[in-house]
Amino acid sequence: MGTPDRIEGSWGVDPVPTRLRVLSGLDTGLLWGNLGISLLVIVAGAALVPALSLPHALVAIVLGCLIGNLMLAVAAAIGADARVPGMVLMRAPLGQRGSYLPTGINVVQGIGWSVFELLIIATAAAALSDELFGFRAQWLWTLVFGAFALALALLGPIGFVRRFVRRFAIWAVPLAIGYLTWWALDGADLGALWDAPGEGGLSVWQGADVVVGITVSWIPYAADYTRFSQTRRGAFWGTGVGYLVPDTWLLALGVVLVLSKDLGDPAALPAAVVAGGFAAIAALFALLVTETDEAFANVYSAAVSLQNVVPRAPQKLLLVLVTAIATAGALVIDLVSYQSFLLLLGSVFVPLFAVLLADWVASGRHYRPEDVFETPDWRSGLIAAWVTGFAVYQWLYPTGPSWWVDLVSELNPPDWGIGATVPSFLVSFGIASVVAVIARRPSAGAAAA
C-alpha cells in the first residue's frame, strides 16, 4: 500500500476505487478528531458568554454539538456511500449546474476559513517568537505556515492521516489540550462562575445555532475525506465521535477562558498563553503545528470543490492557487470576531444538508454513479427547498451584513428565541422529501425534477 498515498493526493471527481478506500473507522476518527482541535473553536465558544450564563452556555454547547455532529456524521456516511467529493455529490439533489451554487459558496468559505486559520497560526507563532527570540515577524510566519498547509494538502487525506496525524498529532494534541484546560481552570472560582447570571441578548437555542454553525461548516467537506473510507459505518462513527469530543471540549474551554481569564479576543489568546511559562509555550507550539491541519482541510476542500466546475484542471495547480489567495488574505486582513460568519454558514449549510439527506433517503439510501453524474442540469424543486430553508433561518435569526439584517428586520421576524437550525432543517427536509419522491415516480420522470 505504498503508492496509494501519492495517487489519492490528486484524485479528482470520479468515484474513488476500492483500492483507495483504505481509511478505517479509527483512521477517520483520528482525522476528524484532529480537525476538531482548533483555537478558532475555542473562540466560537467564547462568543456564547457573557450573554449566556455558564450553565446555559454549556447546555447550548451540548445541544449544538449533538445536532451539528449528527448532521456531519450522516453527511460523512453519504460521502462514503457515493465515493465522490462533497460538491460533486451535490449534483444528485441539485443537478449538474445546480451544484455550482453551493460550490461557489463552499470555495469562498474554504478560502475564508483558510485566512482565519493562517491568521491565528501566525499570531500565535509571532507571540512565541517574540517571547523566545525578541521578534514577531508575523508576515514571515504567515508565509511559512501557508507553505506548510500546502504541503499537507498535497499529501491528500490518506497521506495526511498516515504521515502527520499518526506520527505527531495523536501524541502532541492531547497533552497540549490537557495543559490548556488546567491553565484555564487554575485559580478560577468555579462556584462563582457557575452562579453568575448571563447578560442576555442570546437564548440557549440561539447559542446552539452558533455551535451548529461551526460544525456544519464541515458538512460540504465531509465527503472529500470519507470517500476514502472503507465503510459507511466507519465513516459515520469515525466522523461523528471523532469531531464531537474535541468540539464539545474546546467550545466549553472557550466559555471558561472568557469567564476566568477574560479572553474573548482571539488575537489576545496566544500572547496570554505564552505568558504562562515554558509548559504553556510548549503546549501552544504543539497546537500551533497541529492547527495547520485546519488550513490544510480548507485549502484541500476548496481546490477539490473547484474541480466540480473545472474537472480537468490539475488539482495540484488549484491547491497552489487557493493557498496563494488565502496566504495573501492572511497578510492583509485583521483577525476579527466571526460569530455572524458562523451563523451565516449555518443558514446556508443546514438547509442544504436537509435537501441532500431527503434526496438520498428517497433514492433508497444509496447513490449510484448515475444518480450523481447523469442528473439534469437543474433540479429546481430541490433548489427551491434549499432556498426556502435559508429564508426561514434568516427570518428567525437575521445575520449577515448590516444592510441585509436591516432588510430582513422590516419583515418583523419573531422574537421567539427558539433558534433557527431545527426549523430551517425541518422546512427544507419536508419540501425536499416531497419533491424527491415525486421526481422518482415512473410517471413523473425528469420533468418533476
Side-chain angles (χ1 to χ4, degrees):
M1 302 298 290
T3 56
D5 285 5
R6 296 180 181 178
I7 297 173
E8 69 81 28
S10 58
W11 196 262
V13 302
D14 295 328
V16 172
T18 301
R19 62 187 172 84
L20 292 182
R21 299 183 66 190
V22 298
L23 294 182
S24 65
L26 177 60
D27 289 329
T28 305
L30 291 174
L31 169 65
W32 285 100
N34 204 58
L35 292 178
I37 302 295
S38 172
L39 293 173
L40 286 176
V41 177
I42 296 177
V43 174
L48 301 177
V49 289
L52 294 175
S53 65
L54 176 57
H56 286 164
L58 294 178
V59 172
I61 289 171
V62 171
L63 284 173
C65 284
L66 290 176
I67 294 171
N69 280 278
L70 179 59
M71 292 181 180
L72 179 61
V74 174
I78 297 175
D81 170 57
R83 300 179 290 120
V84 295
M87 290 301 99
V88 177
L89 181 62
M90 295 312 303
R91 296 181 186 184
L94 303 183
Q96 303 295 310
R97 296 187 181 277
S99 69
Y100 294 172
L101 300 175
T103 295
I105 297 171
N106 199 45
V107 170
V108 170
Q109 84 137 344
I111 293 174
W113 277 119
S114 299
V115 170
F116 277 133
E117 293 293 348
L118 289 176
L119 274 170
I120 200 163
I121 291 168
T123 300
L128 279 174
S129 62
D130 187 35
E131 177 72 17
L132 297 175
F133 309 113
F135 71 92
R136 291 185 59 82
Q138 184 165 328
W139 65 271
L140 176 61
W141 295 117
T142 302
L143 296 175
V144 168
F145 283 98
F148 188 24
L150 175 60
L152 292 178
L154 290 171
L155 288 177
I158 296 176
F160 172 74
V161 170
R162 291 179 172 176
R163 301 181 187 180
F164 181 75
V165 175
R166 283 186 173 183
R167 295 182 182 180
F168 175 77
I170 192 174
W171 310 109
V173 168
L175 294 176
I177 293 301
Y179 175 81
L180 285 181
T181 302
W182 172 84
W183 176 71
L185 297 175
D186 184 40
D189 187 346
L190 293 180
L193 296 180
W194 187 267
D195 294 333
E199 295 181 359
L202 193 70
S203 71
V204 169
W205 278 106
Q206 289 171 333
D209 285 341
V210 176
V211 174
V212 170
I214 198 168
T215 306
V216 301
S217 66
W218 289 105
I219 284 179
Y221 297 172
D224 297 346
Y225 308 98
T226 59
R227 58 183 170 144
F228 298 103
S229 295
Q230 295 173 351
T231 64
R232 292 194 301 185
R233 182 186 297 272
F236 177 87
W237 289 108
T239 302
V241 177
Y243 196 80
L244 174 65
V245 173
D247 193 27
T248 307
W249 190 343
L250 293 189
L251 286 164
L253 182 58
V255 170
V256 173
L257 280 172
V258 170
L259 298 177
S260 65
K261 306 286 186 181
D262 193 24
L263 287 177
D265 180 8
L269 179 60
V273 174
V274 166
F278 176 78
I281 291 174
L284 185 61
F285 177 76
L287 282 181
L288 177 64
V289 176
T290 57
E291 185 84 17
T292 315
D293 59 13
E294 277 78 22
F296 137 76
N298 288 290
V299 166
Y300 178 79
S301 287
V304 171
S305 296
L306 282 171
Q307 286 191 293
N308 183 44
V309 181
V310 285
R312 295 186 179 181
Q315 190 179 103
K316 291 182 179 180
L317 176 62
L318 295 177
L319 288 170
V320 172
L321 176 63
V322 170
T323 304
I325 295 173
T327 303
L331 290 171
V332 300
I333 296 175
D334 292 329
L335 189 61
V336 295
S337 173
Y338 60 100
Q339 178 179 343
S340 62
F341 178 58
L342 296 179
L343 292 170
L344 189 59
L345 292 179
S347 68
V348 171
F349 293 128
V350 165
L352 179 63
F353 167 71
V355 169
L356 172 65
L357 178 60
D359 186 66
W360 183 67
V361 171
S363 299
R365 291 182 295 176
H366 173 60
Y367 276 147
R368 301 165 299 168
E370 51 266 36
D371 293 324
V372 175
F373 295 101
E374 297 179 13
T375 55
D377 283 347
W378 303 92
R379 299 191 68 188
S380 55
L382 291 168
I383 293 174
W386 175 30
V387 173
T388 302
F390 171 80
V392 169
Y393 192 112
Q394 287 288 328
W395 182 61
L396 292 172
Y397 202 164
T399 185
S402 58
W403 63 267
W404 170 258
V405 174
D406 293 339
L407 181 64
V408 176
S409 297
E410 294 181 3
L411 301 176
N412 298 316
D415 187 20
W416 296 335
I418 61 173
T421 297
V422 174
S424 67
F425 174 86
L426 292 177
V427 168
S428 285
F429 184 80
I431 296 173
S433 295
V434 173
V435 172
V437 169
I438 293 175
R440 280 171 173 77
R441 288 179 178 174
S443 60

